[in-house]
Amino acid sequence: MFMRKLLPLFLAAVLLSSAAFAQKVSGVVKDQQGKGLEKTTVSLLKAKDSSVVKLTVSDNQGNFSFEADAGKYLVSVSYVGYLPAYSQVFDLASGDVKVDALTLIKAENALQGVTVTSKKPIVEVKADKTILNVEGTINAVGQDALELLRKSPGVMVDKDDNITLAGKNGVQVFIDGKPSPLAGADLANFLKSLQSSQIEAVELITNPSAKYEAAGNAGIINIKLKKNKTFGTNGSVNAGYAIGTYAKYNGGIALNHRNGKVNLFGNYNYNRGLNVNNFVLYRAQGDSIFDQTNRMKSYNDNGHNFKAGADYFVNSKSTIGTIITGNLADGRMESVGPMGIYYKPSGKLVRLLEANSDNDMDRKNMNFNLNYRYAVTGGSELNVDADYGFYKNRSNQFQPNHYFDILNNGDKVPTYSNVYRMIAPTDIDIYSVKVDWEQNFKKGRLGLGGKLGYVNTDNDFKRYDVYGSNEVLDKQRSNRFKYKENVNAVYANYNRAFKGFMIQAGLRVENTISKGRSTGLKFDGGSSTYVPYDSTIKRDYTDFFPSAAITFNKNPMSQFGITYSRRIDRPVYQDLNPFEFKLNDYTYMKGNTQLRPQYTNSFGLTHTYKYKLNTALNYSHVKDIFTQLPDTINKSEAYLIKKNLATQDIISINVSYPFQYKWYSFFANVNAYYSHYKANFGGGDRNINLDVYAMSFYMQNSFKLGKTLSAELTGFYNSPTIWQGTFKSSAIYGIDGGFTKTIMKGKGTVRAVVSDMFKLMKFRGESNFTGVTNIASGNWESRQFKINFAYRFGSNQVKAARQRKTGLDDENKRAASGGTTPVGQ
């Protein structure tokens, strides 16, 4: 039914956008031999002031066309390695205009010594992804990667820091084109340690081709870290300060040296600060009510992030490179707050639990990459990557549970205490080798490749009962879980342009071999002794993941696309471990050995009008979707467990549009979706049958207030929705504002920002499953004043040179099917 409602909206948007009448400007771009040049950047400029009116790219024969209103214009064309060319001024008054052929001449050495100053658009919308250029936005200053995602178009982050994209969970997070093995709290903590000053862009890839790993049913979020491409020796320093409830500090330095044979680069960033969160959880179960209030302080005592690498250009075709990245952080989480226990029939407070915990954490992550690229211009290309990485996470949590009886006069009387210490080291080692080959084939482009990936995880959880100064190992509540996963993949991908349309089709095959082993001791009542147990999970399965896309681009100003893909999400190791982790005396968390992978089939219909108005309609069917369910144990206790829902069907529509007029520009993105969850866990209140209607809105306003002063106002709104299949959440929204000022002859930049200016950001969710009512709410230090200073020094010359294409990077190729929508230039 919702599909019938959304389809007319989609068609109406397309028809309205195509209805406007305009005259046509056309022409052709050629090289010095008279051959048509494809994928050149073509700009329609106003004759009066040379301001950009329209942008497009030439097709395979070098042809281009615009639609524009009456007026005086000229056309400019540019391409890497060539000098730009301009047409004569013409008057578009009473009919179509065909400009004379524009010939581009190779630059040779003409670019030596030329300084190029450019600014990326804040948001770029392409056929398969949306790019948020963090460097181009003022309001990103002082934020971490998780906060950037929270405010990105179509992205939602729930109360537990789980990430969804366009209403779907199972997002695969990449760092510099490589998948992160972390999930849940580990992933959230890692993202919080990445500062915006380290990030170049965030890519939201909703329809990855067969070249990319099949994991991530919602698609891929790729966080690209900065890498300097400027020639000569240069660098930058930056320092920042933020204040909300508590102060935060960050600073960094970047250095780069590049010549015709070698590129050396490195950067280092430091951050330190204290953040505060407030959390309230109300639970009604049986004849009891549990009302818990927590104030959590997160101490980021020392955060160090660094990156270093080198590229050696062997010759015009071959490049060898190596990259080392690291993330080192130590901190502490302090949780303070009581939990009142009420007798439900009378509403009387009968007991009080004070469980003020303290958790010391230490996280270390290092990644090493060795890469080789062989490329022939316009011909074949080979990329080989070998990677090794490790994560070492340490946690030492002190968890006292002090109980008090409440007298009639309201006084509290201590009764007993349960005090625990939990030590949980986790080691993760990752090995991978990836090969990608591309070549021209049958008038198209054929890509072949494969990857060998191996992940080894070791979690050794020990719980101690604390009696004064003595700590005794609780053998029944301690556990060691080792998990190994080997994913081997091969793929083939082919794309070809025809007259009026383009096709892309691919198939990826992945074989997964995994083994998890949970070991520990359990008490045997018959022998009155502890005996070892060994719970082993083994899986071996092979899946096929096809993908396809057709783009109709006969009229470059009005392009349609149809897409399809099949994807997978595999359970992470924490969700498979059957051991019961005790969060406090009334709440447990346990894994599920029966948790199966979830699979998604997605179908999409897209339309791009004048490279600006982008509309996308998508339908996805998810089988065995993951959800975290609260369940009951021993009448008054609850535990959280991941299970597979039967299905999720989700329909979404996304519309984005940029606008620019002189000193003002904006970008708006609206995403609306309908989702249906269905599952049967035993009938009655253990059934799930939910219909969800939700939408999100993102808007960026940019103001050019002079040659050196700019301002920005951004806002987002996420409507009420469903978390994890059972939690009905309230809306969440916020507004940021800031200024940037260029100083010191353009080498220095000062940015000042107020995030969540009106302190609107907070969350609330409610669920009722198995007769248990849960209501969660809270907020965090979202309103902050942030100020940052950056200074650039050294050479700022950019030359046409060989560039390495790694991971998800393909910045120098603009697909003729969709191009790029520039925003806020």
Side-chain angles (χ1 to χ4, degrees):
M1 186 180 78
F2 191 73
M3 182 72 171
R4 292 199 298 269
K5 292 181 179 179
L6 275 181
L7 187 56
L9 292 175
F10 174 81
L11 294 175
V14 172
L15 291 172
L16 285 173
S17 66
S18 303
F21 176 77
Q23 296 170 87
K24 187 177 181 180
V25 178
S26 61
V28 63
V29 184
K30 297 181 179 181
D31 61 16
Q32 290 166 279
Q33 287 72 44
K35 183 180 178 181
L37 271 178
E38 62 174 330
K39 298 177 183 176
T40 58
T41 301
V42 187
S43 305
L44 182 66
L45 311 176
K46 284 185 178 181
K48 181 180 179 181
D49 56 8
S50 295
S51 61
V52 177
V53 179
K54 302 279 180 64
L55 288 172
T56 188
V57 289
S58 59
D59 64 15
N60 293 342
Q61 287 74 45
N63 297 311
F64 65 87
S65 64
F66 298 99
E67 288 183 357
D69 298 327
K72 290 187 177 182
Y73 302 97
L74 72 156
V75 172
S76 73
V77 293
S78 61
Y79 193 67
V80 174
Y82 291 80
L83 295 173
Y86 298 86
S87 74
Q88 297 294 323
V89 174
F90 56 87
D91 192 350
L92 192 62
S94 58
D96 296 344
V97 172
K98 185 171 184 178
V99 301
D100 294 335
L102 295 164
T103 300
L104 290 182
I105 300 172
K106 280 197 173 182
E108 302 295 344
N109 298 321
L111 285 182
Q112 290 185 5
V114 175
T115 298
V116 179
T117 303
S118 65
K119 180 181 178 182
K120 288 184 178 180
I122 296 170
V123 179
E124 297 175 82
V125 179
K126 298 188 177 183
D128 63 337
K129 61 187 173 184
T130 299
I131 303 172
L132 177 65
N133 288 307
V134 177
E135 288 183 298
T137 175
I138 300 169
N139 290 339
V141 169
Q143 297 187 18
D144 58 51
L146 191 65
E147 277 300 298
L148 287 174
L149 292 184
R150 191 188 302 274
K151 298 172 183 179
S152 297
V155 178
M156 294 183 66
V157 180
D158 71 12
K159 65 179 181 62
D160 298 316
D161 292 334
N162 297 305
I163 301 168
T164 61
L165 179 60
K168 293 182 286 185
N169 66 5
V171 178
Q172 179 67 57
V173 175
F174 281 55
I175 307 295
D176 274 340
K178 304 185 190 327
S180 169
L182 301 179
D186 289 337
L187 176 61
N189 288 330
F190 175 74
L191 294 177
K192 289 175 183 177
S193 70
L194 291 178
Q195 298 299 301
S196 62
S197 57
Q198 304 167 245
I199 300 172
E200 177 182 325
V202 176
E203 297 179 332
L204 311 175
I205 306 173
T206 52
N207 187 45
S209 71
K211 181 177 179 179
Y212 305 121
E213 298 184 28
N217 92 84
I220 294 170
I221 295 178
N222 181 43
I223 299 174
K224 293 174 60 179
L225 303 181
K226 291 180 179 178
K227 180 180 177 180
N228 197 320
K229 299 184 179 79
T230 308
F231 266 65
T233 301
N234 55 80
S236 65
V237 292
N238 68 86
Y241 170 81
I243 182 71
T245 306
Y246 300 100
K248 301 132 182 74
Y249 311 89
N250 63 80
I253 183 172
L255 295 172
N256 184 81
H257 175 76
R258 185 184 182 106
N259 57 35
K261 295 293 286 185
V262 177
N263 180 36
L264 304 175
F265 56 92
N267 61 62
Y268 167 79
N269 288 272
Y270 173 81
N271 62 87
R272 180 186 179 93
L274 170 59
N275 294 279
V276 63
N277 301 273
N278 298 300
F279 181 74
V280 177
L281 179 62
Y282 171 96
R283 175 161 57 91
Q285 180 175 346
D287 63 357
S288 299
I289 294 174
F290 304 87
D291 193 0
Q292 179 180 348
T293 301
N294 283 93
R295 184 174 176 86
M296 293 170 284
K297 292 182 178 180
S298 177
Y299 296 83
N300 179 18
D301 292 334
N302 291 289
H304 307 272
N305 295 274
F306 55 87
K307 181 176 184 177
D311 293 320
Y312 175 66
F313 306 108
V314 181
N315 51 45
S316 61
K317 299 177 181 178
S318 298
T319 305
I320 299 173
T322 183
I323 302 174
I324 301 173
T325 59
N327 180 291
L328 312 176
D330 59 81
R332 182 165 57 93
M333 178 72 76
E334 182 183 280
S335 179
V336 178
M339 181 169 74
I341 303 172
Y342 297 80
Y343 182 55
K344 189 175 180 180
S346 66
K348 181 180 179 182
L349 178 64
V350 295
R351 184 179 295 177
L352 191 68
L353 167 62
E354 291 184 354
N356 301 335
S357 66
D358 193 300
N359 188 4
D360 287 320
M361 297 174 291
D362 182 78
R363 298 185 302 275
K364 292 181 174 66
N365 164 231
M366 293 282 291
N367 294 284
F368 306 88
N369 168 264
L370 182 65
N371 57 74
Y372 170 75
R373 183 190 183 218
Y374 173 87
V376 178
T377 303
S380 57
E381 181 176 322
L382 172 68
N383 284 282
V384 181
D385 284 88
D387 291 272
Y388 167 69
F390 67 80
Y391 292 80
K392 295 186 181 297
N393 298 335
R394 300 293 181 264
S395 173
N396 185 341
Q397 182 176 353
F398 182 69
Q399 178 67 66
N401 296 273
H402 300 299
Y403 290 88
F404 301 85
D405 282 342
I406 306 301
L407 303 180
N408 290 332
N409 62 3
D411 291 342
K412 61 180 186 180
V413 178
T415 54
Y416 65 95
S417 297
N418 295 324
V419 183
Y420 313 112
R421 183 179 298 280
M422 290 162 281
I423 298 177
T426 299
D427 294 327
I428 304 175
D429 292 282
I430 309 156
Y431 308 84
S432 71
V433 177
K434 181 166 70 77
V435 179
D436 298 299
W437 170 260
E438 287 187 7
Q439 68 176 48
N440 297 325
F441 180 75
K442 299 289 185 180
K443 298 182 180 180
R445 192 76 172 165
L446 175 67
L448 300 172
K451 181 178 179 179
L452 304 177
Y454 177 76
V455 179
N456 182 31
T457 303
D458 186 358
N459 177 265
D460 190 6
F461 178 84
K462 289 183 170 63
R463 200 188 90 170
Y464 295 85
D465 294 321
V466 180
Y467 305 99
S469 59
N470 296 321
E471 298 183 1
V472 179
L473 179 67
D474 187 338
K475 297 179 180 180
Q476 289 191 95
R477 296 294 181 187
S478 299
N479 166 267
R480 187 167 191 174
F481 187 65
K482 293 184 176 182
Y483 184 72
K484 298 178 181 180
E485 185 176 79
N486 174 214
V487 179
N488 304 311
V490 293
Y491 76 86
N493 195 67
Y494 180 72
N495 60 74
R496 179 179 173 181
F498 294 87
K499 189 173 182 179
F501 68 97
M502 293 181 64
I503 63 168
Q504 177 268 314
L507 177 66
R508 187 177 184 90
V509 182
E510 294 189 348
N511 171 250
T512 305
I513 303 171
S514 62
K515 179 181 178 180
R517 186 184 181 193
S518 181
T519 58
L521 297 173
K522 62 181 180 180
F523 187 75
D524 180 35
S527 61
S528 298
T529 59
Y530 289 99
V531 296
Y533 69 85
D534 190 331
S535 178
T536 301
I537 312 156
K538 290 184 179 180
R539 290 179 180 172
D540 186 345
Y541 53 94
T542 301
D543 288 302
F544 294 82
F545 301 98
S547 63
I550 303 176
T551 302
F552 300 94
N553 59 355
K554 186 175 183 180
N555 178 4
M557 294 294 104
S558 181
Q559 303 184 46
F560 287 88
I562 301 173
T563 62
Y564 165 75
S565 65
R566 182 175 189 258
R567 302 190 64 76
I568 186 176
D569 283 290
R570 302 175 181 89
V572 295
Y573 76 94
Q574 301 101 317
D575 296 332
L576 293 171
N577 188 359
F579 180 71
E580 291 184 356
F581 294 90
K582 197 169 189 178
L583 303 179
N584 59 41
D585 282 349
Y586 288 92
T587 309
Y588 299 77
M589 180 178 290
K590 63 184 295 187
N592 179 6
T593 59
Q594 303 303 311
L595 194 63
R596 302 180 299 276
Q598 66 178 25
Y599 295 89
T600 301
N601 286 280
S602 294
F603 303 84
L605 176 64
T606 64
H607 177 254
T608 300
Y609 179 65
K610 292 189 175 180
Y611 299 103
K612 287 190 174 184
L613 179 60
N614 291 273
T615 309
L617 180 66
N618 184 271
Y619 166 74
S620 296
H621 175 79
V622 188
K623 179 184 177 183
D624 293 331
I625 184 174
F626 300 149
T627 185
Q628 183 169 280
L629 295 175
D631 216 330
T632 58
I633 187 173
N634 299 332
K635 293 185 179 180
S636 63
E637 298 174 1
Y639 69 90
L640 302 173
I641 187 170
K642 278 278 183 76
K643 289 187 178 182
N644 295 104
L645 289 180
T647 60
Q648 180 196 24
D649 290 285
I650 183 166
I651 303 167
S652 65
I653 184 169
N654 185 282
V655 180
S656 63
Y657 183 76
F659 172 81
Q660 182 171 347
Y661 180 75
K662 295 184 179 179
W663 51 269
Y664 171 69
S665 64
F666 82 80
F667 172 82
N669 179 279
V670 179
N671 184 80
Y673 68 88
Y674 159 78
S675 182
H676 179 74
Y677 296 89
K678 186 177 182 181
N680 186 341
F681 294 117
D685 59 9
R686 302 181 70 83
N687 275 359
I688 295 177
N689 193 354
L690 292 172
D691 291 296
V692 183
Y693 300 85
M695 64 86 68
S696 63
F697 175 76
Y698 172 87
M699 186 170 183
Q700 180 118 22
N701 300 270
S702 300
F703 309 87
K704 187 71 174 176
L705 304 179
K707 290 185 177 180
T708 62
L709 183 64
S710 299
E712 193 174 281
L713 189 68
T714 60
F716 79 99
Y717 171 84
N718 292 330
S719 74
T721 185
I722 296 290
W723 294 333
Q724 299 287 315
T726 60
F727 253 92
K728 298 179 181 179
S729 74
S730 299
I732 183 169
Y733 40 87
I735 298 173
D736 299 347
F739 290 87
T740 181
K741 173 72 174 176
T742 302
I743 59 176
M744 304 172 74
K745 297 182 179 180
K747 291 183 176 292
T749 304
V750 178
R751 293 183 173 95
V753 175
V754 177
S755 61
D756 192 17
M757 298 166 60
F758 305 106
K759 207 170 184 180
L760 301 172
M761 295 180 68
K762 55 188 176 183
F763 65 84
R764 188 180 188 277
E766 181 176 348
S767 76
N768 194 331
F769 184 72
T770 66
V772 178
T773 298
N774 286 278
I775 302 174
S777 62
N779 56 44
W780 63 98
E781 210 175 338
S782 57
R783 182 166 66 182
Q784 297 181 24
F785 170 73
K786 305 168 185 177
I787 189 166
N788 177 274
F789 170 73
Y791 178 75
R792 298 173 298 279
F793 55 87
S795 169
N796 60 352
Q797 293 181 357
V798 180
K799 303 182 182 181
R802 299 175 293 271
Q803 293 191 12
R804 167 175 159 71
K805 185 180 69 178
T806 59
L808 303 178
D809 289 339
D810 201 1
E811 295 175 342
N812 297 322
K813 293 183 179 180
R814 301 182 61 180
S817 61
T820 300
T821 299
V823 184
Q825 296 187 82

